[in-house]
Structure formats: C-alpha cells, structure tokens
Amino acid sequence: MLALAPCAARAQKATPPTPAQVAQEVRDYRLDNEDRIIRELSEFLAIPNVATDTPNIQKNAAHLVEMLEARGIETHLLPVTGRGPVVFGKLITAEAKRTVIFYAHYDGQPVDAAAWTDGKPFEPVLRDGAIEAGGKRIPFPENSAQHRAVYDGNWRIYARSSSDDKSPIVALLAAIDALRAKEIPLAVNLKVIFEGEEEAGSTNLQRTLELHKNLLGADLLITADGPVHQSGRPLVFFGNRGDIGIDLTVYGAVRALHSGHYGNWAPNPAMELSRLLASMKSADGRVLIDGYYDDATPLTEVEKKALAEMPDNDADLERELGIAQPEGGGKKLVELLMQPSLNVRGLRSAYVGDQAQNVVPEKAEASLEARLVKGEDPKHKFDQIAAFIEKQGFYLIDHEPTIEERRAHAQIAKVVYEGGYRASRTPMDLPMSKAVVDVVRAAAGNDTVVMPSSGGSVPMYIFEDLGLQWVGVPIVNYDNHQHSSDENLRLGHFWRGMEIYGAILADLNW
Ligand SMILES: [Zn+2]
C-alpha cells in the first residue's frame, strides 16, 4: 500500500521543492493514478449524504475514517446526536513548524432525483462535457497495465456532492499520496475537520468543536468549501458575509374581500407592503434604512487593492444573465459584495395567474434577508430594519394581530427575526495570509484571484471564536450546479486542486 513515512533523505535536504515543482510532481503522480483516484471519489459519492439521513450519513463518516486511516492519519469521531459526526484527523510531521486545519463537509443538499438528467444523484455519471454544452454520457474508462486510464480535463462527474464538498476531501488525500510517492515531506502538521451537517445549517458544529477544543490547536484553518472564480481562475478568499432572515407580514381586513364591493375602501396590504419595501431602497439599490452602513468595518488598503486587481467580468455576467442595468450606481459586483445587502427573497399575497381572484387580499407577506459584513451584529441589523418599518407608521407585532390590535392600528406589520450569524474576515496582510497566496500562485498560476471576502455566507465565525484565522482555497468549477440538480465536477479543476493542496502541504511556511 502506501509508504507512511516520508523519505528521510529527502526530508533532510535544505531546500524543499518549490510549489511549481511540487505541482509538477503531483501531476505526474496523478497521470499514473487517475483510475485509482476517480474510483475513490466515485465510491465516496455513491454513499447518499443528506445530513438528515442518519444511517447513510454515518456510513459516510465510517467510509471517511477508512480513507483517512489508509493514509495513517490518526482519526477521531466527534459525535453529534442524530447527525453525522465531525470527522477529525491528525497527521504530525516531526520537522513541521506550523499546523494547518483543513475544513470540508461531507454532507450534501437534499436531492430531487426526478430533476436530475440521469435520475440518480448517488450513482456517479461521467460525461465528456457539461450537460448545457451538450456533454454526452460516457463510460468510465477501463484501466489496465498496458494502458493507463486518461481522463480528459473537460470531462465531468455528475453526482450530489461531486463538487460540494466531497471532491476537495479526495483531492487532499490524493495529494498526500502523491507527495509520499514522490518522497516529498509535508511542511506542515495537518489536521482535518470534515463536517456532516453543513448543508443542514451547522447547528451543532460550534458546540461540538468547543467540546473538543483540545484537539484544535493550529496556526491556520483552510476551508475548501465553495467554487473558484467565475473566470475559471484559481481563488484564494479571506472572508465571507453573515446572514439574517426576516419574515414580514402586513395585514388588511380579517378576510379577503370582494374587490368590486369593497375595493377603494378596504385597505390593501399588497399595496402597503409594496410601498414599504420600495421605501427601503433607492432606485440604484442603496439601502435607505438609518445607519444601515455605519457598522461595516472599512476595507483596508490591502483589501481595496485586491478588489481593484480582481478580474472585471461584470459585462459578461450582464450579457449572460440578461441584465441591462445593474444596481449599485456603477460600482462593480465585487465592490458591492463588500457591503451589507438587503434582499427580498420572496413575496406572496392572494393569487396570481390562472388562480387570480377578484379580491382585496387580507395579508401580504415578504421574506427578507440581509447579508452582513465584518463589524455588523446580526440582532442589531434586525433592530435597524424593524425600527425603519415602525418609522414608516407600522405597529409592530410578533404574532397574528388580535381584533383589538386591528381596530386600534391602521397599519400593522408582523416582523419575525429568523436568526442569523455574523460575517468573518481574516486580514490579508498577515504573514500566513501572504504565504498561502504565494504558494497557490506559485503552484497554480499568477492569475490566481485573491478576494478579501466572498459574497456568500458560511458560519466561519465559529472558527474565529475558537481563535483560528482562516483562508478559503476552493478548487471546484464555478458552474458546478451546487445545491441544485445535476451537480458536477469538472475534472481539470479537480486535478489542479490536487496540485494546489499538494503545494500547500509541501511548501506552506511563514
Ligand atoms: Zn459546501
């Protein structure tokens, strides 16, 4: 099987191979072992991994333990009642100065098999391209001694979690195999945290990790979750946004009324809600709520410079998405992602289309969300929004209004805080931040995109609270349909990811 100790002779050499050399060695190893690597990935993908499917999520964890122990990685399961455990692993290298935790999650979003082109999200399918580009289903190539399997970089594997988030786990383990085969020692102590309920909200992660804090000493955490930049270029990111949800309901009469007999007289909650929502933002998307931008920690000069250097593909996105005029008053998408947002996630009042009825609705509902940036407190953001609604003349409640309340107040809004969490952002000018960027650039190319914060939300504050600074090094393709049907992994990205992780393991130091 695998040699467990790195070659001592190589380990004592003064200069380790450069990240570019490591990437080349990993590539060389991969070309000889594609069949084995893809088989390991496919077997892992074939275990259904919806977080609430307890028997199967446990099978995933057990399978992960086997995968880790096969590499001589010391493994502990940190139990979570009724859910998949946190799979923790540790690989110590005697000469290493630094310890890096690698985070990924092994659960996936729920699946609607009927919506998948191949109908079976847990039976990995190989295609010679993306389905949207006419990619055809092809058999997994046969491997033999004379003829090694060669997987084209444009081929894709379709299965739930093929990109989010099982493939980074397999890429990391394959990178370890490659380093050992090439007798390249690890430069860091490696710990892994593989979570089994990320897609179900990471409800137990913080508590579980706090209970096992003694295991988690490290200098840096690298998260593999998420895709690379839309341009296809590699990505290193240093933050993500927080998120809160709000349920908003505006009331009219106690029941829907005939619009002919009562129209012009009965207050219309759909109109009231529309007026209220429209008053929250200016035409170019600026939130008009008092103090909405005040708490945001300003970007540092380093962060501003990184934003300015990011590729500007807004025009391509506008073309692809059919947008004539974006919000933001001329600011670039990436700049706007660094600000708090206010979004109407959904709206509902009475019926539309074929079901339309001639009524004055009895209520109108909106689901709102705000993405938070560093410096903002989730509950305070909710309070700002609620105070604004009150200032517009609404009587605020957190329950269905009573008849007395309806009679006493012309405008009533039920405003319910659905919870949320804060943003997290690691300074880009820390020595370790620079070291990660340098290694990834040297391994994967100087065109690597460096982003102060992604626009999305993952509860990385949990790690921040444990005293861990973190950096995101995702590897999978942007067009991977994550969370949706036909989730896929482009193999060229997977191969490059192995090289990036190999270079981090072999060269990261500061
Ligand atoms: Zn994910």
Side-chain angles (χ1 to χ4, degrees):
M1 267 290 289
L2 304 153
L4 295 186
C7 171
R10 185 86 175 243
Q12 277 156 18
K13 277 189 190 168
T15 47
T18 64
Q21 287 166 339
V22 173
Q24 183 57 51
E25 296 272 31
V26 171
R27 188 174 317 153
D28 188 54
Y29 168 87
R30 181 264 296 175
L31 286 166
D32 283 332
N33 291 277
E34 288 184 354
D35 181 66
R36 202 181 62 76
I37 299 164
I38 294 296
R39 192 154 7 95
E40 183 168 42
L41 177 62
S42 299
E43 284 172 6
F44 194 21
L45 294 176
I47 313 172
N49 69 336
V50 179
T52 49
D53 175 1
T54 309
N56 274 314
I57 205 73
Q58 299 286 357
K59 269 185 214 166
N60 277 279
H63 192 77
L64 259 180
V65 170
E66 281 177 32
M67 288 162 70
L68 291 167
E69 287 182 344
R71 275 88 181 182
I73 298 173
E74 182 189 322
T75 306
H76 301 271
L77 294 181
L78 317 183
V80 176
T81 312
R83 290 284 165 90
V86 172
V87 179
F88 173 83
K90 185 167 85 170
L91 184 64
I92 299 301
T93 300
E95 299 80 12
K97 188 168 112 195
R98 302 292 185 184
T99 300
V100 173
I101 299 181
F102 183 94
Y103 167 88
H105 61 88
Y106 62 90
D107 67 316
Q109 284 273 315
V111 291
D112 172 11
W116 287 62
T117 303
D118 298 301
K120 291 175 178 167
F122 297 111
E123 286 182 22
V125 164
L126 186 63
R127 288 181 177 272
D128 61 7
I131 288 175
E132 309 85 90
K136 298 273 178 305
R137 197 172 165 159
I138 52 173
F140 284 86
E142 290 290 332
N143 195 44
S144 71
Q146 303 80 31
H147 171 83
R148 57 183 192 178
V150 176
Y151 284 77
D152 189 281
N154 284 315
W155 292 359
R156 295 185 185 224
I157 290 183
Y158 281 80
R160 169 57 83 228
S161 292
S162 55
S163 58
D164 183 23
D165 203 15
K166 282 181 171 177
S167 54
I169 296 175
V170 177
L172 177 79
L173 298 181
I176 293 172
D177 296 343
L179 298 185
R180 284 173 172 165
K182 299 294 183 181
E183 300 181 352
I184 301 170
L186 270 64
V188 294
N189 296 313
L190 175 68
K191 294 181 178 177
V192 299
I193 293 174
F194 297 145
E195 189 192 358
E197 59 158 359
E198 195 274 341
E199 302 292 8
S202 297
T203 324
N204 298 290
L205 184 65
Q206 186 156 33
R207 193 156 37 91
T208 309
L209 295 182
E210 266 162 16
L211 277 173
H212 299 89
K213 214 176 163 188
N214 58 317
L215 295 174
L216 305 177
D219 300 290
L220 170 67
L221 181 138
I222 290 178
T223 175
D225 202 10
V228 299
H229 190 256
Q230 290 109 323
S231 62
R233 288 151 59 171
L235 174 68
V236 179
F237 67 96
F238 289 87
N240 52 36
R241 291 197 284 185
D243 196 20
I244 61 168
I246 299 174
D247 241 18
L248 171 62
T249 310
V250 169
Y251 297 86
V254 291
R255 61 174 184 272
L257 296 168
H258 190 291
S259 58
H261 297 157
Y262 295 96
N264 292 350
W265 179 79
N268 187 315
M271 292 296 289
E272 280 180 29
L273 179 62
S274 304
R275 267 194 295 270
L276 172 61
L277 294 175
S279 70
M280 290 181 177
K281 281 177 116 174
S282 69
D284 65 1
R286 183 93 183 155
V287 180
L288 302 173
I289 294 172
D290 293 334
Y292 205 78
Y293 299 96
D294 289 359
D295 295 344
T297 305
L299 294 175
T300 63
E301 290 308 313
V302 181
E303 288 168 334
K304 282 186 199 158
K305 183 164 173 282
L307 277 187
E309 285 170 359
M310 282 188 66
D312 183 357
N313 56 336
D314 287 13
D316 293 340
L317 289 173
E318 285 162 34
R319 206 173 307 120
E320 182 195 332
L321 301 174
I323 293 172
Q325 174 75 58
E327 290 189 352
K331 286 201 174 114
K332 288 197 297 184
L333 169 61
V334 292
E335 293 173 64
L336 295 163
L337 299 183
M338 302 301 132
Q339 298 180 0
S341 74
L342 180 64
N343 178 41
V344 178
R345 285 190 293 199
L347 275 177
R348 188 160 64 195
S349 188
Y351 304 92
V352 300
D354 290 347
Q355 278 88 44
Q357 300 172 356
N358 296 337
V359 294
V360 179
E362 77 279 26
K363 65 178 177 182
E365 298 166 272
S367 180
L368 306 181
E369 68 151 354
R371 300 274 177 171
L372 275 46
V373 299
K374 192 168 178 81
E376 296 189 302
D377 176 69
K379 186 58 175 39
H380 183 60
K381 191 100 254 165
F382 168 76
D383 290 341
Q384 283 180 331
I385 296 168
F388 177 86
I389 297 171
E390 194 166 29
K391 212 171 121 189
Q392 306 309 302
F394 284 85
Y395 174 67
L396 301 196
I397 51 174
D398 61 359
H399 52 268
E400 286 296 295
T402 62
I403 192 75
E404 290 77 18
E405 284 170 327
R406 288 172 182 274
R407 290 280 296 119
H409 304 282
Q411 292 179 297
I412 298 178
K414 181 173 79 172
V415 186
V416 178
Y417 180 48
E418 293 182 328
Y421 57 84
R422 62 182 199 274
S424 172
R425 203 160 77 213
T426 299
M428 294 177 72
D429 46 4
L430 296 177
M432 65 187 174
S433 302
K434 290 188 205 159
V436 172
V437 172
D438 287 348
V439 169
V440 176
R441 286 209 158 127
N446 276 325
D447 63 350
T448 296
V449 177
V450 177
M451 196 177 189
S453 174
S454 103
S457 301
V458 181
M460 297 306 286
Y461 72 92
I462 292 174
F463 298 109
E464 217 178 72
D465 286 355
L466 287 162
L468 290 165
Q469 301 272 17
W470 66 275
V471 176
V473 186
I475 60 169
V476 302
N477 42 304
Y478 189 81
D479 56 349
N480 67 31
H481 288 229
Q482 84 183 80
H483 294 191
S484 170
S485 52
D486 290 337
E487 180 176 349
N488 66 84
L489 168 70
R490 186 182 166 276
L491 291 181
H493 283 74
F494 182 52
W495 303 145
R496 188 178 67 190
M498 274 182 64
E499 295 171 18
I500 291 171
Y501 290 159
I504 288 174
L505 292 173
D507 277 303
L508 185 64
N509 235 320
W510 65 92

